mmCIF file of all heavy atoms in Angstrom:
data_model
loop_
_atom_site.group_PDB
_atom_site.id
_atom_site.type_symbol
_atom_site.label_atom_id
_atom_site.label_comp_id
_atom_site.label_asym_id
_atom_site.label_seq_id
_atom_site.Cartn_x
_atom_site.Cartn_y
_atom_site.Cartn_z
ATOM 1 N N GLN A 1424 0.872 -1.171 0.000
ATOM 2 C CA GLN A 1424 0.000 0.000 0.000
ATOM 3 C C GLN A 1424 0.914 1.228 0.000
ATOM 4 O O GLN A 1424 1.775 1.369 0.869
ATOM 5 C CB GLN A 1424 -0.913 0.013 1.226
ATOM 6 C CG GLN A 1424 -1.790 -1.222 1.381
ATOM 7 C CD GLN A 1424 -2.979 -1.251 0.423
ATOM 8 O OE1 GLN A 1424 -3.082 -0.445 -0.502
ATOM 9 N NE2 GLN A 1424 -3.899 -2.174 0.661
ATOM 10 N N ILE A 1425 0.722 2.098 -0.979
ATOM 11 C CA ILE A 1425 1.567 3.274 -1.131
ATOM 12 C C ILE A 1425 0.683 4.506 -0.998
ATOM 13 O O ILE A 1425 -0.263 4.695 -1.768
ATOM 14 C CB ILE A 1425 2.295 3.252 -2.487
ATOM 15 C CG1 ILE A 1425 3.185 2.010 -2.555
ATOM 16 C CG2 ILE A 1425 3.112 4.525 -2.692
ATOM 17 C CD1 ILE A 1425 3.816 1.765 -3.902
ATOM 18 N N PHE A 1426 0.978 5.347 -0.006
ATOM 19 C CA PHE A 1426 0.150 6.506 0.314
ATOM 20 C C PHE A 1426 0.706 7.762 -0.345
ATOM 21 O O PHE A 1426 1.925 7.991 -0.347
ATOM 22 C CB PHE A 1426 0.069 6.692 1.828
ATOM 23 C CG PHE A 1426 -0.551 5.526 2.548
ATOM 24 C CD1 PHE A 1426 0.250 4.500 3.044
ATOM 25 C CD2 PHE A 1426 -1.921 5.441 2.718
ATOM 26 C CE1 PHE A 1426 -0.322 3.415 3.700
ATOM 27 C CE2 PHE A 1426 -2.502 4.362 3.378
ATOM 28 C CZ PHE A 1426 -1.700 3.343 3.863
ATOM 29 N N LEU A 1427 -0.188 8.590 -0.885
ATOM 30 C CA LEU A 1427 0.188 9.826 -1.560
ATOM 31 C C LEU A 1427 -0.216 11.030 -0.717
ATOM 32 O O LEU A 1427 -1.135 10.959 0.102
ATOM 33 C CB LEU A 1427 -0.485 9.909 -2.928
ATOM 34 C CG LEU A 1427 -0.261 8.706 -3.862
ATOM 35 C CD1 LEU A 1427 -1.017 8.914 -5.180
ATOM 36 C CD2 LEU A 1427 1.227 8.483 -4.126
ATOM 37 N N LYS A 1428 0.452 12.153 -0.933
ATOM 38 C CA LYS A 1428 0.231 13.329 -0.098
ATOM 39 C C LYS A 1428 -1.135 13.967 -0.292
ATOM 40 O O LYS A 1428 -1.572 14.758 0.547
ATOM 41 C CB LYS A 1428 1.331 14.361 -0.339
ATOM 42 C CG LYS A 1428 1.403 14.907 -1.747
ATOM 43 C CD LYS A 1428 2.602 15.839 -1.872
ATOM 44 C CE LYS A 1428 2.754 16.382 -3.269
ATOM 45 N NZ LYS A 1428 3.967 17.254 -3.391
ATOM 46 N N ASP A 1429 -1.839 13.634 -1.381
ATOM 47 C CA ASP A 1429 -3.156 14.229 -1.622
ATOM 48 C C ASP A 1429 -4.299 13.413 -1.030
ATOM 49 O O ASP A 1429 -5.471 13.667 -1.312
ATOM 50 C CB ASP A 1429 -3.386 14.447 -3.114
ATOM 51 C CG ASP A 1429 -3.425 13.142 -3.916
ATOM 52 O OD1 ASP A 1429 -3.283 12.052 -3.312
ATOM 53 O OD2 ASP A 1429 -3.577 13.210 -5.147
ATOM 54 N N GLY A 1430 -3.975 12.412 -0.203
ATOM 55 C CA GLY A 1430 -5.015 11.618 0.448
ATOM 56 C C GLY A 1430 -5.469 10.416 -0.349
ATOM 57 O O GLY A 1430 -6.459 9.772 0.014
ATOM 58 N N ARG A 1431 -4.748 10.063 -1.399
ATOM 59 C CA ARG A 1431 -5.051 8.852 -2.155
ATOM 60 C C ARG A 1431 -4.010 7.769 -1.858
ATOM 61 O O ARG A 1431 -3.022 8.014 -1.178
ATOM 62 C CB ARG A 1431 -5.077 9.152 -3.659
ATOM 63 C CG ARG A 1431 -6.189 10.092 -4.080
ATOM 64 C CD ARG A 1431 -6.210 10.301 -5.582
ATOM 65 N NE ARG A 1431 -4.993 10.962 -6.063
ATOM 66 C CZ ARG A 1431 -4.667 11.076 -7.356
ATOM 67 N NH1 ARG A 1431 -5.453 10.545 -8.283
ATOM 68 N NH2 ARG A 1431 -3.556 11.711 -7.711
ATOM 69 N N TYR A 1432 -4.246 6.582 -2.376
ATOM 70 C CA TYR A 1432 -3.322 5.474 -2.181
ATOM 71 C C TYR A 1432 -3.292 4.604 -3.425
ATOM 72 O O TYR A 1432 -4.215 4.607 -4.243
ATOM 73 C CB TYR A 1432 -3.702 4.639 -0.948
ATOM 74 C CG TYR A 1432 -4.921 3.764 -1.131
ATOM 75 C CD1 TYR A 1432 -4.793 2.385 -1.316
ATOM 76 C CD2 TYR A 1432 -6.205 4.297 -1.127
ATOM 77 C CE1 TYR A 1432 -5.917 1.574 -1.488
ATOM 78 C CE2 TYR A 1432 -7.324 3.502 -1.289
ATOM 79 C CZ TYR A 1432 -7.185 2.137 -1.472
ATOM 80 O OH TYR A 1432 -8.288 1.346 -1.654
ATOM 81 N N ILE A 1433 -2.199 3.869 -3.568
ATOM 82 C CA ILE A 1433 -2.001 2.942 -4.674
ATOM 83 C C ILE A 1433 -1.722 1.562 -4.101
ATOM 84 O O ILE A 1433 -0.912 1.420 -3.184
ATOM 85 C CB ILE A 1433 -0.815 3.380 -5.561
ATOM 86 C CG1 ILE A 1433 -1.110 4.738 -6.214
ATOM 87 C CG2 ILE A 1433 -0.503 2.331 -6.627
ATOM 88 C CD1 ILE A 1433 0.080 5.349 -6.915
ATOM 89 N N ARG A 1434 -2.389 0.560 -4.638
ATOM 90 C CA ARG A 1434 -2.099 -0.820 -4.247
ATOM 91 C C ARG A 1434 -1.184 -1.434 -5.307
ATOM 92 O O ARG A 1434 -1.531 -1.445 -6.496
ATOM 93 C CB ARG A 1434 -3.384 -1.630 -4.098
ATOM 94 C CG ARG A 1434 -3.175 -2.993 -3.413
ATOM 95 C CD ARG A 1434 -4.498 -3.695 -3.214
ATOM 96 N NE ARG A 1434 -5.080 -4.087 -4.492
ATOM 97 C CZ ARG A 1434 -6.368 -4.410 -4.661
ATOM 98 N NH1 ARG A 1434 -7.190 -4.370 -3.643
ATOM 99 N NH2 ARG A 1434 -6.817 -4.752 -5.857
ATOM 100 N N TYR A 1435 -0.050 -1.925 -4.862
ATOM 101 C CA TYR A 1435 0.962 -2.441 -5.781
ATOM 102 C C TYR A 1435 1.076 -3.949 -5.620
ATOM 103 O O TYR A 1435 1.156 -4.465 -4.497
ATOM 104 C CB TYR A 1435 2.306 -1.772 -5.489
ATOM 105 C CG TYR A 1435 3.318 -1.919 -6.595
ATOM 106 C CD1 TYR A 1435 3.405 -0.978 -7.612
ATOM 107 C CD2 TYR A 1435 4.204 -2.995 -6.619
ATOM 108 C CE1 TYR A 1435 4.345 -1.101 -8.633
ATOM 109 C CE2 TYR A 1435 5.134 -3.134 -7.636
ATOM 110 C CZ TYR A 1435 5.201 -2.174 -8.639
ATOM 111 O OH TYR A 1435 6.133 -2.300 -9.642
ATOM 112 N N ASP A 1436 1.080 -4.672 -6.743
ATOM 113 C CA ASP A 1436 1.177 -6.124 -6.745
ATOM 114 C C ASP A 1436 2.648 -6.519 -6.861
ATOM 115 O O ASP A 1436 3.288 -6.280 -7.886
ATOM 116 C CB ASP A 1436 0.373 -6.698 -7.913
ATOM 117 C CG ASP A 1436 0.219 -8.202 -7.834
ATOM 118 O OD1 ASP A 1436 1.252 -8.905 -7.755
ATOM 119 O OD2 ASP A 1436 -0.929 -8.693 -7.861
ATOM 120 N N VAL A 1437 3.199 -7.113 -5.798
ATOM 121 C CA VAL A 1437 4.618 -7.446 -5.785
ATOM 122 C C VAL A 1437 4.926 -8.564 -6.779
ATOM 123 O O VAL A 1437 5.925 -8.505 -7.512
ATOM 124 C CB VAL A 1437 5.062 -7.849 -4.363
ATOM 125 C CG1 VAL A 1437 6.516 -8.307 -4.354
ATOM 126 C CG2 VAL A 1437 4.868 -6.682 -3.393
ATOM 127 N N ALA A 1438 4.081 -9.597 -6.833
ATOM 128 C CA ALA A 1438 4.337 -10.731 -7.722
ATOM 129 C C ALA A 1438 4.319 -10.301 -9.190
ATOM 130 O O ALA A 1438 5.174 -10.719 -9.985
ATOM 131 C CB ALA A 1438 3.309 -11.832 -7.473
ATOM 132 N N LYS A 1439 3.364 -9.453 -9.557
ATOM 133 C CA LYS A 1439 3.267 -8.971 -10.945
ATOM 134 C C LYS A 1439 4.158 -7.763 -11.201
ATOM 135 O O LYS A 1439 4.351 -7.365 -12.353
ATOM 136 C CB LYS A 1439 1.811 -8.623 -11.266
ATOM 137 C CG LYS A 1439 0.869 -9.814 -11.229
ATOM 138 C CD LYS A 1439 -0.565 -9.386 -11.515
ATOM 139 C CE LYS A 1439 -1.506 -10.585 -11.462
ATOM 140 N NZ LYS A 1439 -2.922 -10.196 -11.678
ATOM 141 N N ASP A 1440 4.663 -7.178 -10.117
ATOM 142 C CA ASP A 1440 5.550 -6.015 -10.189
ATOM 143 C C ASP A 1440 4.923 -4.866 -10.975
ATOM 144 O O ASP A 1440 5.506 -4.310 -11.906
ATOM 145 C CB ASP A 1440 6.909 -6.390 -10.786
ATOM 146 C CG ASP A 1440 7.978 -5.354 -10.465
ATOM 147 O OD1 ASP A 1440 7.752 -4.504 -9.573
ATOM 148 O OD2 ASP A 1440 9.045 -5.381 -11.108
ATOM 149 N N ARG A 1441 3.745 -4.482 -10.548
ATOM 150 C CA ARG A 1441 3.053 -3.339 -11.156
ATOM 151 C C ARG A 1441 1.931 -2.889 -10.233
ATOM 152 O O ARG A 1441 1.452 -3.659 -9.378
ATOM 153 C CB ARG A 1441 2.478 -3.703 -12.527
ATOM 154 C CG ARG A 1441 1.419 -4.796 -12.499
ATOM 155 C CD ARG A 1441 0.691 -4.902 -13.815
ATOM 156 N NE ARG A 1441 -0.241 -6.023 -13.877
ATOM 157 C CZ ARG A 1441 -1.451 -6.023 -13.325
ATOM 158 N NH1 ARG A 1441 -1.864 -4.967 -12.640
ATOM 159 N NH2 ARG A 1441 -2.253 -7.079 -13.443
ATOM 160 N N ALA A 1442 1.499 -1.637 -10.407
ATOM 161 C CA ALA A 1442 0.349 -1.141 -9.662
ATOM 162 C C ALA A 1442 -0.910 -1.852 -10.141
ATOM 163 O O ALA A 1442 -1.056 -2.147 -11.331
ATOM 164 C CB ALA A 1442 0.209 0.363 -9.851
ATOM 165 N N ASP A 1443 -1.811 -2.144 -9.210
ATOM 166 C CA ASP A 1443 -3.081 -2.749 -9.601
ATOM 167 C C ASP A 1443 -3.903 -1.769 -10.428
ATOM 168 O O ASP A 1443 -3.826 -0.548 -10.220
ATOM 169 C CB ASP A 1443 -3.871 -3.163 -8.352
ATOM 170 C CG ASP A 1443 -3.388 -4.478 -7.761
ATOM 171 O OD1 ASP A 1443 -2.588 -5.175 -8.423
ATOM 172 O OD2 ASP A 1443 -3.807 -4.811 -6.641
ATOM 173 N N PRO A 1444 -4.699 -2.272 -11.367
ATOM 174 C CA PRO A 1444 -5.538 -1.385 -12.192
ATOM 175 C C PRO A 1444 -6.520 -0.593 -11.324
ATOM 176 O O PRO A 1444 -7.000 -1.074 -10.299
ATOM 177 C CB PRO A 1444 -6.279 -2.357 -13.108
ATOM 178 C CG PRO A 1444 -5.446 -3.613 -13.116
ATOM 179 C CD PRO A 1444 -4.832 -3.691 -11.756
ATOM 180 N N GLY A 1445 -6.815 0.636 -11.765
ATOM 181 C CA GLY A 1445 -7.820 1.456 -11.093
ATOM 182 C C GLY A 1445 -7.303 2.322 -9.971
ATOM 183 O O GLY A 1445 -8.092 2.987 -9.294
ATOM 184 N N TYR A 1446 -5.994 2.350 -9.769
ATOM 185 C CA TYR A 1446 -5.387 3.167 -8.719
ATOM 186 C C TYR A 1446 -4.600 4.302 -9.351
ATOM 187 O O TYR A 1446 -4.159 4.166 -10.490
ATOM 188 C CB TYR A 1446 -4.483 2.302 -7.836
ATOM 189 C CG TYR A 1446 -5.251 1.330 -6.971
ATOM 190 C CD1 TYR A 1446 -5.669 0.096 -7.485
ATOM 191 C CD2 TYR A 1446 -5.603 1.653 -5.665
ATOM 192 C CE1 TYR A 1446 -6.392 -0.790 -6.694
ATOM 193 C CE2 TYR A 1446 -6.316 0.769 -4.870
ATOM 194 C CZ TYR A 1446 -6.709 -0.446 -5.395
ATOM 195 O OH TYR A 1446 -7.436 -1.328 -4.619
ATOM 196 N N PRO A 1447 -4.447 5.420 -8.571
ATOM 197 C CA PRO A 1447 -4.773 5.629 -7.152
ATOM 198 C C PRO A 1447 -6.268 5.830 -6.906
ATOM 199 O O PRO A 1447 -7.015 6.220 -7.800
ATOM 200 C CB PRO A 1447 -3.989 6.895 -6.792
ATOM 201 C CG PRO A 1447 -3.802 7.614 -8.074
ATOM 202 C CD PRO A 1447 -3.715 6.578 -9.138
ATOM 203 N N ARG A 1448 -6.654 5.550 -5.665
ATOM 204 C CA ARG A 1448 -8.022 5.747 -5.197
ATOM 205 C C ARG A 1448 -8.005 6.592 -3.930
ATOM 206 O O ARG A 1448 -7.016 6.601 -3.200
ATOM 207 C CB ARG A 1448 -8.687 4.402 -4.895
ATOM 208 C CG ARG A 1448 -8.866 3.492 -6.108
ATOM 209 C CD ARG A 1448 -9.511 2.173 -5.706
ATOM 210 N NE ARG A 1448 -9.662 1.273 -6.834
ATOM 211 C CZ ARG A 1448 -10.143 0.034 -6.753
ATOM 212 N NH1 ARG A 1448 -10.511 -0.441 -5.549
ATOM 213 N NH2 ARG A 1448 -10.241 -0.732 -7.826
ATOM 214 N N PRO A 1449 -9.099 7.294 -3.649
ATOM 215 C CA PRO A 1449 -9.134 8.092 -2.416
ATOM 216 C C PRO A 1449 -9.246 7.220 -1.176
ATOM 217 O O PRO A 1449 -9.854 6.142 -1.214
ATOM 218 C CB PRO A 1449 -10.381 8.957 -2.607
ATOM 219 C CG PRO A 1449 -11.238 8.191 -3.554
ATOM 220 C CD PRO A 1449 -10.304 7.468 -4.478
ATOM 221 N N ILE A 1450 -8.639 7.672 -0.089
ATOM 222 C CA ILE A 1450 -8.823 7.024 1.205
ATOM 223 C C ILE A 1450 -10.160 7.476 1.761
ATOM 224 O O ILE A 1450 -10.365 8.655 2.047
ATOM 225 C CB ILE A 1450 -7.678 7.405 2.164
ATOM 226 C CG1 ILE A 1450 -6.366 6.815 1.658
ATOM 227 C CG2 ILE A 1450 -7.973 6.906 3.582
ATOM 228 C CD1 ILE A 1450 -5.152 7.256 2.444
ATOM 229 N N THR A 1451 -11.094 6.548 1.882
ATOM 230 C CA THR A 1451 -12.443 6.841 2.358
ATOM 231 C C THR A 1451 -12.783 5.908 3.516
ATOM 232 O O THR A 1451 -12.003 5.010 3.860
ATOM 233 C CB THR A 1451 -13.475 6.644 1.239
ATOM 234 O OG1 THR A 1451 -13.514 5.238 0.886
ATOM 235 C CG2 THR A 1451 -13.110 7.453 -0.010
ATOM 236 N N ASP A 1452 -13.965 6.087 4.075
ATOM 237 C CA ASP A 1452 -14.396 5.198 5.155
ATOM 238 C C ASP A 1452 -14.728 3.804 4.645
ATOM 239 O O ASP A 1452 -14.860 2.868 5.445
ATOM 240 C CB ASP A 1452 -15.604 5.795 5.882
ATOM 241 C CG ASP A 1452 -15.185 6.869 6.875
ATOM 242 O OD1 ASP A 1452 -14.060 6.781 7.401
ATOM 243 O OD2 ASP A 1452 -15.979 7.799 7.109
ATOM 244 N N GLU A 1453 -14.852 3.656 3.344
ATOM 245 C CA GLU A 1453 -15.061 2.328 2.780
ATOM 246 C C GLU A 1453 -13.737 1.632 2.495
ATOM 247 O O GLU A 1453 -13.587 0.444 2.756
ATOM 248 C CB GLU A 1453 -15.890 2.427 1.494
ATOM 249 C CG GLU A 1453 -17.329 2.870 1.728
ATOM 250 C CD GLU A 1453 -18.132 2.896 0.446
ATOM 251 O OE1 GLU A 1453 -17.538 2.661 -0.634
ATOM 252 O OE2 GLU A 1453 -19.346 3.138 0.520
ATOM 253 N N SER A 1454 -12.772 2.371 1.964
ATOM 254 C CA SER A 1454 -11.495 1.743 1.603
ATOM 255 C C SER A 1454 -10.569 1.586 2.807
ATOM 256 O O SER A 1454 -9.831 0.599 2.900
ATOM 257 C CB SER A 1454 -10.805 2.554 0.504
ATOM 258 O OG SER A 1454 -10.570 3.891 0.924
ATOM 259 N N TRP A 1455 -10.603 2.560 3.734
ATOM 260 C CA TRP A 1455 -9.752 2.531 4.928
ATOM 261 C C TRP A 1455 -10.583 3.012 6.118
ATOM 262 O O TRP A 1455 -10.445 4.158 6.557
ATOM 263 C CB TRP A 1455 -8.526 3.425 4.752
ATOM 264 C CG TRP A 1455 -7.511 2.884 3.794
ATOM 265 C CD1 TRP A 1455 -7.487 3.062 2.437
ATOM 266 C CD2 TRP A 1455 -6.372 2.085 4.116
ATOM 267 N NE1 TRP A 1455 -6.411 2.425 1.896
ATOM 268 C CE2 TRP A 1455 -5.699 1.819 2.892
ATOM 269 C CE3 TRP A 1455 -5.852 1.579 5.302
ATOM 270 C CZ2 TRP A 1455 -4.534 1.047 2.840
ATOM 271 C CZ3 TRP A 1455 -4.689 0.817 5.249
ATOM 272 C CH2 TRP A 1455 -4.048 0.558 4.042
ATOM 273 N N PRO A 1456 -11.445 2.172 6.675
ATOM 274 C CA PRO A 1456 -12.322 2.601 7.767
ATOM 275 C C PRO A 1456 -11.561 3.188 8.947
ATOM 276 O O PRO A 1456 -10.671 2.553 9.507
ATOM 277 C CB PRO A 1456 -13.048 1.301 8.158
ATOM 278 C CG PRO A 1456 -13.027 0.459 6.919
ATOM 279 C CD PRO A 1456 -11.714 0.774 6.271
ATOM 280 N N GLY A 1457 -11.907 4.447 9.292
ATOM 281 C CA GLY A 1457 -11.285 5.117 10.421
ATOM 282 C C GLY A 1457 -10.114 5.994 10.065
ATOM 283 O O GLY A 1457 -9.605 6.727 10.916
ATOM 284 N N LEU A 1458 -9.680 5.949 8.804
ATOM 285 C CA LEU A 1458 -8.499 6.714 8.392
ATOM 286 C C LEU A 1458 -8.843 7.951 7.566
ATOM 287 O O LEU A 1458 -8.034 8.881 7.471
ATOM 288 C CB LEU A 1458 -7.562 5.806 7.588
ATOM 289 C CG LEU A 1458 -6.169 6.335 7.224
ATOM 290 C CD1 LEU A 1458 -5.421 6.811 8.455
ATOM 291 C CD2 LEU A 1458 -5.368 5.254 6.497
ATOM 292 N N ALA A 1459 -10.024 7.986 7.000
ATOM 293 C CA ALA A 1459 -10.403 9.040 6.055
ATOM 294 C C ALA A 1459 -10.213 10.463 6.587
ATOM 295 O O ALA A 1459 -9.695 11.322 5.865
ATOM 296 C CB ALA A 1459 -11.846 8.836 5.588
ATOM 297 N N PRO A 1460 -10.608 10.792 7.845
ATOM 298 C CA PRO A 1460 -10.444 12.182 8.314
ATOM 299 C C PRO A 1460 -8.987 12.664 8.329
ATOM 300 O O PRO A 1460 -8.738 13.874 8.312
ATOM 301 C CB PRO A 1460 -11.022 12.149 9.730
ATOM 302 C CG PRO A 1460 -11.936 10.976 9.758
ATOM 303 C CD PRO A 1460 -11.286 9.968 8.865
ATOM 304 N N ASP A 1461 -8.051 11.736 8.353
ATOM 305 C CA ASP A 1461 -6.639 12.101 8.450
ATOM 306 C C ASP A 1461 -5.841 11.667 7.228
ATOM 307 O O ASP A 1461 -4.611 11.566 7.274
ATOM 308 C CB ASP A 1461 -6.029 11.472 9.706
ATOM 309 C CG ASP A 1461 -6.731 11.922 10.969
ATOM 310 O OD1 ASP A 1461 -6.606 13.105 11.305
ATOM 311 O OD2 ASP A 1461 -7.404 11.086 11.599
ATOM 312 N N ALA A 1462 -6.527 11.457 6.110
ATOM 313 C CA ALA A 1462 -5.878 10.911 4.918
ATOM 314 C C ALA A 1462 -4.750 11.796 4.402
ATOM 315 O O ALA A 1462 -3.746 11.296 3.891
ATOM 316 C CB ALA A 1462 -6.917 10.699 3.815
ATOM 317 N N ARG A 1463 -4.895 13.103 4.537
ATOM 318 C CA ARG A 1463 -3.861 14.027 4.054
ATOM 319 C C ARG A 1463 -2.808 14.334 5.119
ATOM 320 O O ARG A 1463 -1.895 15.139 4.869
ATOM 321 C CB ARG A 1463 -4.506 15.330 3.580
ATOM 322 C CG ARG A 1463 -5.393 15.169 2.340
ATOM 323 C CD ARG A 1463 -6.100 16.469 2.013
ATOM 324 N NE ARG A 1463 -6.962 16.332 0.861
ATOM 325 C CZ ARG A 1463 -6.619 16.663 -0.390
ATOM 326 N NH1 ARG A 1463 -5.417 17.173 -0.612
ATOM 327 N NH2 ARG A 1463 -7.466 16.505 -1.389
ATOM 328 N N GLN A 1464 -2.948 13.734 6.291
ATOM 329 C CA GLN A 1464 -2.020 13.996 7.396
ATOM 330 C C GLN A 1464 -1.008 12.879 7.607
ATOM 331 O O GLN A 1464 -0.198 12.942 8.531
ATOM 332 C CB GLN A 1464 -2.816 14.196 8.690
ATOM 333 C CG GLN A 1464 -3.728 15.403 8.681
ATOM 334 C CD GLN A 1464 -2.936 16.697 8.540
ATOM 335 O OE1 GLN A 1464 -1.916 16.895 9.200
ATOM 336 N NE2 GLN A 1464 -3.394 17.581 7.663
ATOM 337 N N ILE A 1465 -1.012 11.868 6.748
ATOM 338 C CA ILE A 1465 -0.117 10.725 6.941
ATOM 339 C C ILE A 1465 1.333 11.144 6.710
ATOM 340 O O ILE A 1465 1.670 11.726 5.678
ATOM 341 C CB ILE A 1465 -0.501 9.576 5.991
ATOM 342 C CG1 ILE A 1465 -1.905 9.054 6.335
ATOM 343 C CG2 ILE A 1465 0.520 8.437 6.087
ATOM 344 C CD1 ILE A 1465 -2.436 8.042 5.341
ATOM 345 N N ALA A 1466 2.180 10.848 7.695
ATOM 346 C CA ALA A 1466 3.603 11.169 7.600
ATOM 347 C C ALA A 1466 4.458 9.918 7.423
ATOM 348 O O ALA A 1466 5.482 9.952 6.733
ATOM 349 C CB ALA A 1466 4.060 11.911 8.854
ATOM 350 N N ALA A 1467 4.054 8.807 8.034
ATOM 351 C CA ALA A 1467 4.841 7.574 7.960
ATOM 352 C C ALA A 1467 3.973 6.402 8.390
ATOM 353 O O ALA A 1467 2.996 6.582 9.138
ATOM 354 C CB ALA A 1467 6.080 7.666 8.853
ATOM 355 N N THR A 1468 4.314 5.219 7.934
ATOM 356 C CA THR A 1468 3.626 3.998 8.350
ATOM 357 C C THR A 1468 4.666 2.957 8.758
ATOM 358 O O THR A 1468 5.782 2.949 8.238
ATOM 359 C CB THR A 1468 2.743 3.429 7.230
ATOM 360 O OG1 THR A 1468 3.552 3.173 6.068
ATOM 361 C CG2 THR A 1468 1.631 4.392 6.870
#
């Protein structure tokens, strides 16, 4: 999971060595429950 500064994220497939289709997507309460209010505040994981 790769997080971007604009509050979106990219899911990357290690075995296929490429980003999954349809990304980046916004961090929402559906994609990341509990993280959406702070999606643009992520500094490190």
Side-chain angles (χ1 to χ4, degrees):
Q1424 303 284 10
I1425 299 172
F1426 299 92
L1427 306 179
K1428 62 184 178 182
D1429 64 1
R1431 295 183 296 169
Y1432 74 104
I1433 296 171
R1434 192 176 68 198
Y1435 197 90
D1436 190 304
V1437 175
K1439 296 178 181 177
D1440 199 14
R1441 63 168 174 79
D1443 280 349
Y1446 290 83
R1448 296 179 181 177
I1450 293 174
T1451 66
D1452 280 331
E1453 292 183 355
S1454 59
W1455 288 87
L1458 189 54
D1461 301 292
R1463 294 175 181 264
Q1464 296 297 315
I1465 296 173
T1468 58

